[in-house]
């Protein structure tokens, strides 16, 4: 182990460690204004200078060497650091007492204190620019900007949106958006990375402004007056006394500012962060060390929380009476629910009732709902919306490797030599996970292959982009696999040791020649061969896929084909390899894991297995049904058939997000008794008989499980609004009114029961999940978890994986003369699904006010469509009217419609065809005809939408340009200029 001498004291170091980290570990307090552990060395501030082996160096950018003699306290380095910081103060006006960033964690304030600065030599010089407040969520004040470049580094190399830069050659450098556009006319996607890492108040969340401090909401003249008073006093008493005053004010803020850890309620990436609040006002979302996300967020997680305090939250139970809803007491509503459930059960049996859990709600809540269905009502008619998205991927993995979850972590995806993305618009649907791929691709030489119908951002960045004919992924995947075998590129040693069924599988690949694949998929043979070679030759491959694969009649089989390909190339069992079906909702993984399925108890324990059933019967003190129940697709058919009379749904907008929405809505209208548990009066609520007001994630405790199988705790930020209640408490009330005797005092207590009954989660406890600690299942009783699966063996009886032979069949709902266009659909970055939550954030609504249909330039020319034209889309199942956006993201006769609409939902067009193995609707197999309507309007995407921006990619902050400025000279004397680390070695 190398050892450095820090101020004469030996300090053991790790190979390649940064000197600054070693000094910090040695207990020395050293300024470091531009350095951020998750951004690496930026080298713009020069405040971390020390002497190493007699030379002045930036400790953030210097790698420690064995025997290095480091002096932090020499007059030479101390003077240099002071000089560097003094220059920073020339760019920043210190008015801490009236600053919204004065919260004890301001880097500029704390560095002023650390260095004991009393007066500055370099006078503050305002820059000749206006404050830019054009973005709905944050503002940039050039006058306070110290040009540290953290924001640029985060934008260019962490988020990799490549919007921000600094014009180092300007007489007055500042941060630029798209090279000098107002923020709201740039490519900024409002992910918030820049604001999160800014070390001062130059970039601030608007929700903080005038809200964080006691004196920060003063009218401007008074505010300016106070700054002048402070400045006047400072000359006499020095900064020390003024800073003390501001620190008293900062300490006072502690009393009223709460910081509560939560987990994002939107997608399955599982970003976690602190929510800063004052009363019910959200001051900001502050990510720091999220196990999945570090400092990262997307616009939804950072800014999309206005729905929580929305004026139209449901706050009292509602009961339908004479065709209208009236407010009711909880007692009335719960009594009615219990009475009607018992009546229907008595009249028609337990299987006349069904239950749908929410993948937005917690694991504990899914557990309670399946327990309610099974143990209290006596039916296995229980499901959640993973059937609409990821069930086929789970089946593909069950068939081949054994566990129905991502085989590694986001860290593995980051590390892979090659990432293969199939049918996933990752940059919009799983934005933070996409940033890790974009970063590795940009900085670390990772190769990227994307197969998709649309030329979306990941496709544009890819080294190889495949555009297969809709519904033909299985063909090209199988052909590529066959080619790898035929060319002797398969990992035969791995196959011999770890995989069963090789010969049968090879035989099944016979029809999948390159010629056949090229003809059916419309991809040139050379492109397919290139993909095969890239995959076979890469040292490690991660395959990512999402609903472009699963929402097909062959969703399970195509998922299986991906896993077969990974097995063929030996891409399991090692870091940087594996299968990653990207889970859509924040807790869609957890809802299934915790038994919200018709055939499984929690932990995928079969309800048909007598031994397992006996275990649950003993624990719950009841007799349980053995026959698997109806899934949510079958429930709709059963309602139409008159077999299912009652439904209890929580947190699921079934009437819009289910495929063939008209058919689903007609079914819901036929129910004898329908209970909805919701936070808003959604479209689906219109069909309900009783509506129970529930709480969003910020108003309750519990756990979510992200796409990485990562279980994380969320803590309660607010009290429930009005009379709304957390779902777990409502479910307990309903169960008890039905005769159960549940007495759970907290979600922690519920989890104790889950862990005792579920081997997959045996070692999960709330203590082990305290704060930002997490566990990735399976979790052994001693609490050890498995971030990377299959390191010892596959989850199969003999420990070996299994090839699963496949055949291809034609997709459903094919285009014909009448319905001549293929309609694809999916998410949009800014909105989550239909937008029930995200439309309630004003800034998101402003940037992305409605849905639209993307039409290719070719088709637009042929049909006379232009951006803004109103068109009518008609499928075999329904019609919608939307405006067109002409875009080369789609090609030929393929259309794309995002699903963010409650008024014109795309699912009025989708069918009831399903994947054979899972009943997942074939959302992506839809044919439509397009009729151009008379009306024209402006673009449905306003000019401020980031899709119209023009990014300015560069390699981070490009500090070398600063060093070339005529007015730049290194502080102190004899600074050894350390070059910025080359891209390949950046952290
Ligand atoms: S940003 Fe920090 S240093 Fe600057 S005025 Fe605010 S609290 Fe003080
Ligand atoms: S705006 Fe950017 S460059 Fe300016 S102080 Fe903040 S992080 Fe640094
Ligand atoms: S929506 Fe997904 S990517 Fe965005 S902050 Fe939430 S968890 Fe992270
Ligand atoms: S911390 Fe800014 S140069 Fe090292």
């Amino acid at each position: 182990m190398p050892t450095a001498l820090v101020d004469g004291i030996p300090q053991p170091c790790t190979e390649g460690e940064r000197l600054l980290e070693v000094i910090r570990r040695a207990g020395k307090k050293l300024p470091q204004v531009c350095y951020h552990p998750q951004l690496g060395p930026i080298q713009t501030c020069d405040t971390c200078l020390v002497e190493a082996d007699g030379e002045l160096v930036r400790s953030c950018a210097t790698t420690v060497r064995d025997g290095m003699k480091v002096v932090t306290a020499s007059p030479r380095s101390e003077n240099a650091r002071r000089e560097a910081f003094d220059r920073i103060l020339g760019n920043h006006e210190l008015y801490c007492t009236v600053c919204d960033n004065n919260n004890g964690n301001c880097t500029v304030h704390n560095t002023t204190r650390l260095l004991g600065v009393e007066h500055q030599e370099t006078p503050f010089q305002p820059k000749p620019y206006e404050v830019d407040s054009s973005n709905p969520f944050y503002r940039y004040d050039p006058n306070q900007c110290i040009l540290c470049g953290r924001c640029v580094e985060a934008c260019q190399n962490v988020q990799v949106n490549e919007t921000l830069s600094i014009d180092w050659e300007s007489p007055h450098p500042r941060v630029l958006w798209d090279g000098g556009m107002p923020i709201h006319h740039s490519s900024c996607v409002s992910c918030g990375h820049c604001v999160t890492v800014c070390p001062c108040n130059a970039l601030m969340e608007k929700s903080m402004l005038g809200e964080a401090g006691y004196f920060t909401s003063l009218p401007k003249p008074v505010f300016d007056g106070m700054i002048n008073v402070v400045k006047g006093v400072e000359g006499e008493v020095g900064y020390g006394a003024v800073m003390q005053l501001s620190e008293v004010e900062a300490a006072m803020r502690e009393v009223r500012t709460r910081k509560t850890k939560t987990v994002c309620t939107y997608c399955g990436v599982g970003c976690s962060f602190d929510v800063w609040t004052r009363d019910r006002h959200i001051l900001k979302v502050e990510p720091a060390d999220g196990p999945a996300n570090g400092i990262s967020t997307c616009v939804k997680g950072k800014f999309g929380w206005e729905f929580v305090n929305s004026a139209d939250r449901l706050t009292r139970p509602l009961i339908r009476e004479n065709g209208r809803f009236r407010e009711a007491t909880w007692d009335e509503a719960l009594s009615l629910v219990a009475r009607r459930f018992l009546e229907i059960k008595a009249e028609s049996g337990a299987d006349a009732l069904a239950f749908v859990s929410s993948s937005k709600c917690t694991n504990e809540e899914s557990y309670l709902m399946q327990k309610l269905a099974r143990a209290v009502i006596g039916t296995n008619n229980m499901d959640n919306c993973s059937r609409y998205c990821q069930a086929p991927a789970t089946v593909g993995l069950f068939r081949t490797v054994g566990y129905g979850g991502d085989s590694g972590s986001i860290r593995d995806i980051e590390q892979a030599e090659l990432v293969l993305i199939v049918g996933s618009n990752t940059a919009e649907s799983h934005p933070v996970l996409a940033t890790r791929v974009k970063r590795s691709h940009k900085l670390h030489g990772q190769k990227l292959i994307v197969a998709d119908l649309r030329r979306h951002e990941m496709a544009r960045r890819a080294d190889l982009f495949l555009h297969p004919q809709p519904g033909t992924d299985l063909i090209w995947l199988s052909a590529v696999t066959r080619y790898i075998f035929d060319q002797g590129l398969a990992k035969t040693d791995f196959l011999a040791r770890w995989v069963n069924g090789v010969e049968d599988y090879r035989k099944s690949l016979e029809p999948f020649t390159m010629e056949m694949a090229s003809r059916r998929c419309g991809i040139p043979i050379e492109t397919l061969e290139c993909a095969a070679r890239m995959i076979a030759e890469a040292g490690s491959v991660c395959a990512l896929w999402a609903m472009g694969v699963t929402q097909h009649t062959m969703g399970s089989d195509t998922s299986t084909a991906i896993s077969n390909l990974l097995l063929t190339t030996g891409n399991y069992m090692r870091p940087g390899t594996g299968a990653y079906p990207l889970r859509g909702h924040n807790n869609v993984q957890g809802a299934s894991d915790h038994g919200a399925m018709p055939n499984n108890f929690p932990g995928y324990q079969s309800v048909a297995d007598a031994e397992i059933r006996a275990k649950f019967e003993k624990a719950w003190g009841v007799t349980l049904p053995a026959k698997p129940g109806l899934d949510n697709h079958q429930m709709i058919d059963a309602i139409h058939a008159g077999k299912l009379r009652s439904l209890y749904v929580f947190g699921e907008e079934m009437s819009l997000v289910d495929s063939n929405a008209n058919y689903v809505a007609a079914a819901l209208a036929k129910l004898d008794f329908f209970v909805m548990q919701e936070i808003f009066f959604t479209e689906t609520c219109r069909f309900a008989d009783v509506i129970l007001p529930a709480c969003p994630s910020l108003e309750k405790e519990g756990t979510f499980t992200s796409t990485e199988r990562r279980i994380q705790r969320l803590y309660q930020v607010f009290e429930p609004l009005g009379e709304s209640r957390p779902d777990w408490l409502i479910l307990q009330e309903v169960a008890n009114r039905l005769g159960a005797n549940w007495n759970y005092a907290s979600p922690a207590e519920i989890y104790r029961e889950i862990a005792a009954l579920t081997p997959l989660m045996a070692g999960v406890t709330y203590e082990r999940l305290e704060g930002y600690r997490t566990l990735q299942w399976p979790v052994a009783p001693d609490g050890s978890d498995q971030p990377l699966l299959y390191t010892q063996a596959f989850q199969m009886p003999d420990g070996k994986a299994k090839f699963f032979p496949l055949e291809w069949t034609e997709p459903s709902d094919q285009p014909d003369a009448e319905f001549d266009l293929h309609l694809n659909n999916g998410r949009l970055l800014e909105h989550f699904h239909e937008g029930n939550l995200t439309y309630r954030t004003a800034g998101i609504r402003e940037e992305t006010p409605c849905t639209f249909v993307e039409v290719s330039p070719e088709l637009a020319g042929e049909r006379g469509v232009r951006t803004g034209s109103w068109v009518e889309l008609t499928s075999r199942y329904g019609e919608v009217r939307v405006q067109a956006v002409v875009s080369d993201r789609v090609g030929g006769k393929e259309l794309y419609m995002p699903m963010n609409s409650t008024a014109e939902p795309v699912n009025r067009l989708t069918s009831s065809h399903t994947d054979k193995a899972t009943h997942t609707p074939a959302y992506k197999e839809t044919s439509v005809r397009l009729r151009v309507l008379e009306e024209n309007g402006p673009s449905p995407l306003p000019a401020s939408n980031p899709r119209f921006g023009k990014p300015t990619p560069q390699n981070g902050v490009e500090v070398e340009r600063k060093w070339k400025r005529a007015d730049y000279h290194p502080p102190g004397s004899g600074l050894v200029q350390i070059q910025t680390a080359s891209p390949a070695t950046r952290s």
Side-chain angles (χ1 to χ4, degrees):
M1 186 181 280
T3 302
L5 271 183
V6 178
D7 290 336
I9 305 204
Q11 185 64 38
C13 330
T14 53
E15 199 66 49
E17 200 174 8
R18 291 196 184 99
L19 184 50
L20 173 142
E21 300 288 359
V22 178
I23 294 168
R24 188 185 288 173
R25 232 187 19 260
K28 307 280 170 192
K29 290 203 165 144
L30 193 68
Q32 43 204 272
V33 174
C34 71
Y35 181 74
H36 186 294
Q38 291 179 51
L39 300 175
I42 301 174
Q43 302 189 83
T44 50
C45 78
D46 295 339
T47 61
C48 65
L49 297 172
V50 294
E51 283 186 66
D53 292 336
E55 288 174 340
L56 211 50
V57 298
R58 295 185 185 93
S59 59
C60 65
T62 304
T63 304
V64 75
R65 284 188 304 273
D66 189 29
M68 190 180 245
K69 291 192 182 57
V70 183
V71 183
T72 66
S74 67
R76 185 176 164 219
S77 60
E78 279 181 351
N79 286 340
R81 293 198 291 264
R82 275 170 197 287
E83 186 187 335
F85 189 65
D86 196 75
R87 290 182 201 167
I88 285 175
L89 292 181
N91 276 313
H92 187 86
E93 194 165 25
L94 286 173
Y95 50 72
C96 308
T97 315
V98 290
C99 174
D100 282 302
N101 203 44
N102 183 37
N103 301 297
N105 64 344
C106 174
T107 306
V108 174
H109 177 103
N110 293 345
T111 309
T112 311
R113 294 291 273 161
L114 178 65
L115 291 174
V117 177
E118 286 296 334
H119 302 286
Q120 64 189 83
E121 298 282 315
T122 317
F124 168 63
Q125 283 288 344
K127 302 181 191 76
Y129 308 113
E130 294 296 313
V131 173
D132 187 338
S133 294
S134 62
N135 181 279
F137 305 110
Y138 68 92
R139 70 101 180 89
Y140 172 60
D141 183 350
N143 279 324
Q144 291 298 90
C145 175
I146 60 171
L147 300 168
C148 69
R150 279 190 189 184
C151 56
V152 178
E153 187 68 26
C155 179
Q156 290 283 344
N157 287 345
V158 179
Q159 157 70 15
V160 199
N161 208 58
E162 301 174 318
T163 301
L164 269 57
S165 60
I166 292 179
D167 52 349
W168 290 117
E169 291 74 22
S170 157
H172 305 285
R174 55 160 286 170
V175 176
L176 301 177
W177 277 252
D178 283 3
M181 299 298 289
I183 300 174
H184 78 306
H185 277 301
S186 75
S187 56
C188 170
V189 290
S190 303
C191 62
H193 280 77
C194 56
V195 191
T196 294
V197 298
C198 182
C200 61
N201 62 349
L203 281 162
M204 290 283 293
E205 297 86 353
K206 286 184 170 175
S207 49
M208 285 283 280
L209 298 178
E211 298 284 349
Y214 283 87
F215 308 113
T216 56
S217 59
L218 298 172
K220 181 87 170 88
V222 186
F223 183 87
D224 290 342
M226 273 196 75
I227 293 177
N228 289 334
V229 170
V230 172
K231 291 275 143 199
V233 175
E234 175 251 308
E236 234 174 86
V237 300
Y239 281 135
V242 178
M243 292 268 156
Q244 270 174 14
L245 184 65
S246 66
E247 281 159 20
V248 170
E249 197 266 353
M252 283 162 59
R253 295 185 191 188
E254 291 287 321
V255 179
R256 65 178 195 182
T257 305
R258 287 186 68 216
K259 297 165 192 171
T260 316
K261 182 243 175 170
T262 194
V263 181
C264 183
T265 195
Y266 289 108
C267 88
V269 174
C271 298
S272 55
F273 29 72
D274 280 359
V275 187
W276 289 32
T277 52
R278 206 189 87 200
D279 305 322
R280 279 198 77 95
H281 176 75
I282 296 178
L283 289 164
K284 68 168 166 173
V285 158
E286 176 94 339
D289 287 307
N293 58 307
I295 52 164
S296 296
T297 43
C298 76
V299 57
K300 300 184 289 294
K302 178 79 180 173
F303 298 114
W305 295 94
E306 281 175 38
F307 73 89
V308 175
N309 286 321
S310 172
D312 61 350
R313 274 274 306 277
L314 290 170
T315 54
R316 295 200 68 192
L318 300 174
I319 291 177
R320 183 194 291 275
E321 239 170 43
N322 304 321
R324 298 172 70 91
F325 285 99
R326 68 162 175 86
E327 289 193 342
T329 63
W330 272 103
D331 187 48
E332 263 183 295
L334 291 169
S335 299
L336 177 59
V337 171
R339 179 169 62 78
R340 292 295 289 134
F341 279 180
L342 290 173
E343 281 171 3
I344 291 169
K345 183 178 168 184
E347 289 159 15
S348 307
D351 287 341
L353 293 97
F355 298 77
V356 176
S357 183
S358 172
S359 53
K360 283 258 152 289
C361 293
T362 63
N363 290 324
E364 294 75 2
E365 289 162 344
S366 271
Y367 175 81
L368 286 195
M369 190 177 232
Q370 62 88 37
K371 183 174 175 181
L372 172 68
R374 296 187 161 113
V376 182
I377 297 292
T379 180
N380 281 319
N381 292 341
M382 172 76 242
D383 211 354
N384 76 90
C385 76
S386 71
R387 183 142 332 268
Y388 301 151
C389 55
Q390 286 303 332
T394 304
V395 165
L397 296 177
F398 279 159
R399 284 172 176 173
T400 52
V401 287
Y403 277 127
D406 288 7
S407 43
S409 305
I410 294 171
R411 185 82 195 102
D412 289 288
I413 299 171
E414 230 175 308
Q415 271 174 256
E417 276 187 25
L418 183 144
V419 168
L420 168 66
I421 299 180
V422 188
S424 160
N425 180 6
T426 324
E428 300 206 49
S429 300
H430 298 88
V432 166
L433 190 147
T435 65
R436 303 321 193 233
V437 178
K438 293 195 286 182
R439 175 179 168 88
S440 292
H441 186 252
K442 178 175 180 177
L443 301 181
H444 301 303
Q446 184 176 74
K447 293 279 177 266
L448 178 61
I449 301 179
V450 172
D452 207 284
L453 300 188
R454 290 171 80 222
R455 195 173 281 277
H456 50 55
E457 182 183 347
M458 300 312 280
R460 284 204 318 275
R461 289 181 180 273
D463 299 286
L464 189 66
F465 172 50
L466 315 179
H467 178 174
Q469 290 291 318
T472 63
D473 284 320
L474 186 144
I475 297 178
W476 73 261
L477 285 160
S478 300
V480 159
T481 310
R482 180 187 154 157
Y483 180 86
I484 287 171
F485 271 117
D486 291 351
Q487 297 298 310
L489 299 170
K491 292 286 181 297
T492 45
D493 289 352
F494 177 84
L495 295 177
R497 172 70 185 86
W498 288 112
V499 189
N500 289 321
V502 177
E503 282 319 307
D504 283 351
Y505 177 57
R506 279 203 71 172
K507 210 162 158 28
S508 77
L509 289 174
E510 273 170 20
F512 298 103
T513 61
M514 281 288 172
E515 292 70 23
M516 178 268 204
S518 177
R519 195 172 61 251
R520 296 308 305 257
C521 303
I523 304 172
I525 288 179
E526 307 74 62
T527 309
L528 292 171
E529 287 180 356
C530 176
R533 290 202 169 274
M534 283 172 75
I535 294 166
E537 285 162 12
S540 55
V541 177
C542 286
L544 282 48
W545 72 100
M547 291 168 227
V549 167
T550 57
Q551 291 178 338
H552 282 275
T553 46
M554 299 215 67
S556 294
D557 289 348
T558 307
S559 300
T560 310
I562 294 172
S563 190
N564 283 339
L565 171 60
L566 290 169
L567 287 172
T568 305
T569 49
N571 278 301
Y572 275 112
M573 306 184 96
R574 290 176 290 127
T577 65
Y580 298 82
L582 304 178
R583 305 301 181 178
H585 280 267
N586 55 320
N587 200 36
V588 71
Q589 179 72 50
S592 293
D593 295 345
H594 292 81
M597 301 181 82
N599 55 340
N600 287 327
F601 291 114
Y604 304 94
Q605 301 177 84
S606 172
V607 297
D609 184 315
E611 209 175 305
I612 289 169
R613 219 169 42 251
K615 175 174 75 171
F616 280 90
E617 286 176 339
K618 187 163 170 232
W620 293 346
V622 291
T623 305
L624 293 168
K627 194 168 83 99
L630 300 174
D631 61 44
N632 46 19
H633 180 76
Q634 292 167 322
M635 287 175 198
I636 298 302
D637 286 340
I639 300 169
H640 277 297
K643 292 181 185 154
L644 189 64
R645 295 180 54 199
S646 179
L647 199 57
Y648 183 0
V649 176
F650 75 110
E652 172 86 13
E653 179 65 298
M654 283 185 77
S655 72
L656 298 181
V657 303
D658 281 24
S659 195
N660 199 353
N662 290 332
Y663 180 72
V664 173
L668 298 179
K670 287 183 184 169
L671 283 164
D672 285 343
F673 187 62
F674 182 16
V675 181
M676 274 298 292
Q677 195 163 299
E678 256 303 350
I679 61 171
F680 294 110
F681 190 93
T682 61
E683 286 296 302
T684 309
C685 284
R686 292 191 299 117
F687 301 94
D689 296 287
V690 177
I691 301 170
L692 304 174
C695 293
S697 61
L698 294 192
E699 294 175 5
K700 60 189 175 189
E701 306 241 318
T703 57
F704 289 155
T705 306
S706 72
T707 191
E708 303 174 281
R709 299 170 281 107
R710 190 185 292 282
I711 309 167
Q712 313 193 78
R713 271 181 78 173
L714 46 143
Y715 292 79
Q716 186 176 348
V717 177
F718 297 128
E719 286 301 310
L721 192 68
E723 292 181 23
S724 67
R725 293 180 182 175
D727 296 84
W728 67 271
L729 273 177
I730 304 174
L731 289 162
Q732 173 155 289
E733 280 280 344
V734 170
N736 287 344
R737 301 236 174 187
L738 289 164
N741 183 23
W742 294 0
N743 293 296
Y744 302 109
S746 66
E749 210 171 289
I750 301 169
Y751 218 101
R752 276 200 283 280
E753 182 175 312
I754 298 170
L757 289 166
T758 313
L760 199 65
M761 315 297 173
V764 177
T765 65
Y766 267 42
E767 292 71 34
R768 289 184 175 135
L769 296 173
E770 188 70 41
Y772 281 84
R773 294 169 70 194
T774 65
L775 293 165
Q776 287 170 276
W777 65 248
V779 185
D782 66 359
S784 55
D785 66 346
Q786 290 190 31
L788 181 64
L789 295 176
Y790 318 126
T791 51
Q792 306 298 318
F794 287 97
Q795 185 63 17
M796 294 290 198
D798 62 356
K800 285 186 169 190
K802 198 166 72 184
F803 273 127
F804 192 95
L806 301 161
E807 287 173 12
W808 184 75
T809 51
E810 290 284 344
S812 63
D813 211 76
Q814 292 277 57
D816 59 14
E818 189 182 355
F819 301 98
D820 59 331
L821 306 174
H822 178 269
L823 178 71
N824 188 9
N825 62 78
R827 278 194 210 153
L828 212 56
L829 171 68
E830 299 88 334
H831 283 291
F832 199 82
H833 280 215
E834 75 295 323
N836 277 343
L837 305 183
T838 41
Y839 274 118
R840 288 177 165 88
T841 291
I844 291 181
R845 206 169 54 241
E846 195 180 297
E847 300 272 324
T848 321
C850 56
T851 192
F852 49 86
V853 61
E854 284 180 353
V855 181
S856 70
E858 313 86 278
L859 190 66
E862 187 189 302
R863 306 278 170 101
V865 175
R866 60 179 181 76
T867 293
S869 300
W870 281 91
V871 298
E872 181 183 82
L873 300 176
T874 308
S875 77
R876 298 179 177 105
Y877 312 95
E879 64 181 43
V880 296
R881 290 174 175 220
V882 286
Q883 281 181 284
V885 168
V886 178
S887 167
D888 61 8
R889 285 188 289 266
V890 287
K893 290 186 160 189
E894 292 169 6
L895 307 172
Y896 179 82
M897 188 174 154
M899 48 172 118
N900 55 306
S901 177
T902 53
E904 300 290 337
V906 67
N907 288 320
R908 281 203 200 126
L909 303 171
T910 51
S911 76
S912 292
H913 296 290
T914 62
D915 172 56
K916 293 183 292 266
T918 61
H919 287 162
T920 296
Y923 289 92
K924 304 294 193 276
E925 294 176 8
T926 305
S927 298
V928 294
R929 62 170 176 260
L930 179 148
R931 188 164 71 89
V932 185
L933 304 173
E934 301 272 294
E935 310 133 74
N936 280 309
S939 167
L941 284 174
S944 59
N945 188 281
R947 288 165 184 78
F948 300 117
K950 296 198 170 32
T952 48
Q954 60 180 44
N955 189 5
V957 74
E958 298 187 344
V959 67
E960 298 85 349
R961 287 165 50 205
K962 170 181 173 173
W963 295 340
K964 282 189 194 141
R965 284 177 65 92
D967 59 0
Y968 176 78
H969 62 87
S973 54
L975 166 68
V976 176
Q977 198 78 292
I978 309 290
Q979 291 305 307
T980 303
S982 70
T985 59
R986 270 174 195 273
S987 71

